[in-house]
Amino acid sequence: MGILSGNPKDEPLHYGEAFDVWAFSVKAKGCISVYRAYHYHAGDKDLKSILDDLINQAELEAKECDQILINNGLAPIPNPPERPEAKLEEIPAGARLADQELTPLIAADTAASMVACSQIMGKSIREDIGALFGKYHMTKAALGLKILQMSKEKGWLVPPPLHVKRPEQVEK
């Protein structure tokens, strides 16, 4: 196989992999900033805990993706400036996001990130890239489940229309 044999980390990234790793790093760095802002708005301790998990995961993703880029001679974008801390009580009522508003935002973002991970896995030819995004996908699936369970427990989940009336089974 030539250039694509041996240690996958020694293989070149194809253009799609390079862009995807770079874009995922950009997204992770944006998530760190946004999730920190959400953390300042959150009042519920369970929601704050999940936001901490999301921030830690995004920091790990940015670090690992940036290292891949650097190892392949590509420059990652710089980290955004640190967001100044805000106290929940200092956020005006009209500007504050409620816990019930934050939860679907992080759930949708986590679901979209899983789709991105799946797409990157599907087009990767380097096994290490596919495996890395498989790891991210599994972590996001576990976080998504925690968000769903918390939303149900707290009564924050607004379900889509439920199909309650089921057709009767016809016996043959």
Side-chain angles (χ1 to χ4, degrees):
M1 286 181 16
I3 197 167
L4 298 178
S5 61
N7 185 347
K9 292 182 181 183
D10 295 332
E11 296 173 5
L13 296 171
H14 66 65
Y15 287 107
E17 288 168 329
F19 178 77
D20 288 339
V21 171
W22 180 85
F24 210 82
S25 170
V26 171
K27 172 73 164 111
K29 290 173 183 178
C31 284
I32 294 165
S33 179
V34 170
Y35 293 159
R36 282 192 177 132
Y38 289 173
H39 198 279
Y40 301 145
H41 285 254
D44 183 84
K45 69 176 180 58
D46 296 328
L47 177 56
K48 283 180 170 284
S49 175
I50 289 176
L51 285 165
D52 286 336
D53 292 344
L54 289 167
I55 291 166
N56 291 337
Q57 180 61 26
E59 288 172 339
L60 174 69
E61 292 165 1
K63 179 182 172 191
E64 290 179 342
C65 287
D66 284 357
Q67 193 57 57
I68 291 169
L69 293 170
I70 291 166
N71 291 347
N72 285 276
L74 302 168
I77 69 158
N79 291 324
E82 285 287 322
R83 183 174 287 280
E85 189 170 342
K87 302 261 187 271
L88 181 63
E89 311 80 45
E90 296 171 355
I91 302 172
R96 180 173 169 222
L97 296 169
D99 294 342
Q100 301 88 313
E101 294 173 292
L102 296 173
T103 306
L105 292 173
I106 62 173
D109 188 57
T110 301
S113 294
M114 287 174 40
V115 171
C117 288
S118 294
Q119 290 175 333
I120 295 167
M121 289 164 45
K123 61 183 164 181
S124 292
I125 60 174
R126 274 185 43 174
E127 294 90 344
D128 62 322
I129 300 295
L132 179 66
F133 284 91
K135 176 182 84 166
Y136 294 163
H137 188 281
M138 289 189 306
T139 302
K140 289 177 183 303
L143 287 166
L145 182 59
K146 282 175 69 172
I147 295 165
L148 175 62
Q149 290 170 336
M150 179 190 65
S151 297
K152 285 182 171 183
E153 288 169 8
K154 307 251 182 216
W156 298 340
L157 180 68
V158 179
L162 301 175
H163 185 71
V164 179
K165 185 175 180 182
R166 295 185 179 104
E168 292 182 28
Q169 295 292 329
V170 177
E171 292 185 33
K172 294 181 183 181

